[in-house]
Amino acid sequence: MNDLLHATLSGLQNGLTSLPLGSAMDNTETWQQQFLQSGQPEFQDIAREMGNLQSLLTSGSLSATAIGNSLAMLGDQTSQASQHAPADIKDDLLKLADTLRRHGHELLAHAAK
């Protein structure tokens, strides 16, 4: 999980548009499968929201508001899940949560213009 977490953080560092859609879909699919298989309720919630994000990204009509809300929700859920995470990944999970929320709020601000 550490490698996937680092790859996700690295991919998001340069902004959402720097990450090719195919890579984003592969990344979310990998995370979603891990979370669905975890059996932990908070991870199942994240997996469902990731499914929602995947649907939004492949709908053919990208909505900055809907995607922004989904990213912000994923950030909040990731932050909550980090409370139960092993110490060696907790800081990176919190960074990921902050990054997801930041990108979500940027999209929402852009959509409001």
Side-chain angles (χ1 to χ4, degrees), residues 3-112:
D3 290 341
L4 181 57
L5 182 56
H6 288 245
T8 302
L9 277 169
S10 173
L12 290 172
Q13 292 299 343
N14 296 323
L16 295 176
T17 57
S18 68
L19 191 62
L21 184 57
S23 295
M25 295 301 289
D26 289 345
N27 190 284
T28 57
E29 179 69 26
T30 302
W31 277 113
Q32 187 179 33
Q33 290 305 312
Q34 286 198 9
F35 289 149
L36 286 172
Q37 294 169 3
S38 75
Q40 296 180 13
E42 65 269 16
F43 289 160
Q44 306 268 322
D45 291 342
I46 294 172
R48 278 191 286 282
E49 188 56 39
M50 287 185 147
N52 178 51
L53 178 61
Q54 288 172 330
S55 295
L56 293 170
L57 293 174
T58 58
S59 71
S61 172
L62 298 178
S63 164
T65 301
I67 294 169
N69 282 328
S70 182
L71 289 171
M73 170 75 75
L74 283 168
D76 290 344
Q77 290 173 325
T78 301
S79 179
Q80 290 171 357
S82 74
Q83 296 172 9
H84 309 290
D88 64 325
I89 63 169
K90 191 172 200 158
D91 286 344
D92 284 339
L93 281 175
L94 289 171
K95 284 182 200 173
L96 178 59
D98 289 344
T99 301
L100 290 167
R101 284 191 289 243
R102 186 182 79 238
H103 287 313
H105 292 299
E106 287 171 358
L107 276 175
L108 291 170
H110 177 74

